[in-house]
Amino acid sequence: MIIAVDGPTASGKGTIARALAQHFGLPVLDTGLLYRAVGYRTQLNHGDPDNAADALAACDFPDSLLDDPALRYESTGSLASRASVHPAVRKALFQRQVDFANQPGGAVLDGRDIGTVIAPHADAKIFVTASPEERAHRRHAEMRARGVEVSYDAVLADIHARDARDTGRTDAPLVRAPDAMLLDNSDMTREAALAAAIAFVEQRLHDAN
């Protein structure tokens, strides 16, 4: 069983993907971490994530880098968004994601092009989203809780900028797959959103059998 969870930044797709993986006993991959690793390593290499050659040179990173706490920083997320627009970078990371999706027993993957590019054959696809304002409120609260001083307006501006890059890139843009469940959790609790996601996947499994 392959479950694809897509959506824009700060939509809660990672939380839902991890919970689905636990519920159904499947391994999970946050594909955004791969792009964060590329963006972060580009910076470590004193390169420019907006430069395709610099970003591509950073794609050959060790798996151990995925455990680096720095990948979760807000600044690293912006680096990832900039690096991910390059087709060469997406191609370099493509097989890594496909292999994870197609492993025996199945998997859960979350990202921005799982249901459309990485695993269009997924058994269940969910597109998780929320309004930019709600996503900015959540991200702002998370950052403040970690002791990061940043204004709400700055976080909202970054959300809009990332959305524009993710939906506007020519290669594998962020888009809802035609057969994906739309889960807008703007006005939902985390528990309600998760319950809806589990119910959808269970229904898809029932229909398949």
Side-chain angles (χ1 to χ4, degrees), residues 41-152:
R41 190 164 189 185
T42 301
Q43 185 181 61
L44 292 179
N45 293 343
H46 305 291
D48 179 1
D50 295 318
N51 182 288
D54 287 353
L56 182 61
C59 287
D60 187 22
F61 58 84
D63 288 342
S64 59
L65 184 60
L66 298 177
D67 296 324
D68 192 320
L71 297 192
R72 299 291 183 180
Y73 295 167
E74 191 68 15
S75 57
T76 307
S78 293
L79 294 173
S81 180
R82 291 160 61 189
S84 67
V85 303
H86 306 302
V89 170
R90 306 197 71 82
K91 182 178 180 181
L93 298 179
F94 175 79
Q95 197 59 48
R96 202 167 186 163
Q97 298 171 74
V98 170
D99 289 345
F100 189 92
N102 293 329
Q103 64 182 290
V108 180
L109 292 87
D110 88 76
R112 287 169 173 74
D113 62 350
I114 308 304
T116 54
V117 176
I118 302 302
H121 57 299
D123 302 281
K125 303 175 185 177
I126 303 175
F127 190 88
V128 183
T129 191
S131 69
E133 291 76 18
E134 177 59 27
R135 289 186 281 134
H137 277 299
R138 294 174 187 172
R139 181 57 56 84
H140 183 243
E142 290 173 3
M143 295 175 71
R144 292 293 298 273
R146 295 201 308 266
V148 179
E149 289 300 323
V150 62
S151 71
Y152 165 79

Side-chain angles (χ1 to χ4, degrees), residues 3-14:
I3 303 174
V5 183
D6 289 306
T9 188
S11 61
K13 64 182 181 296

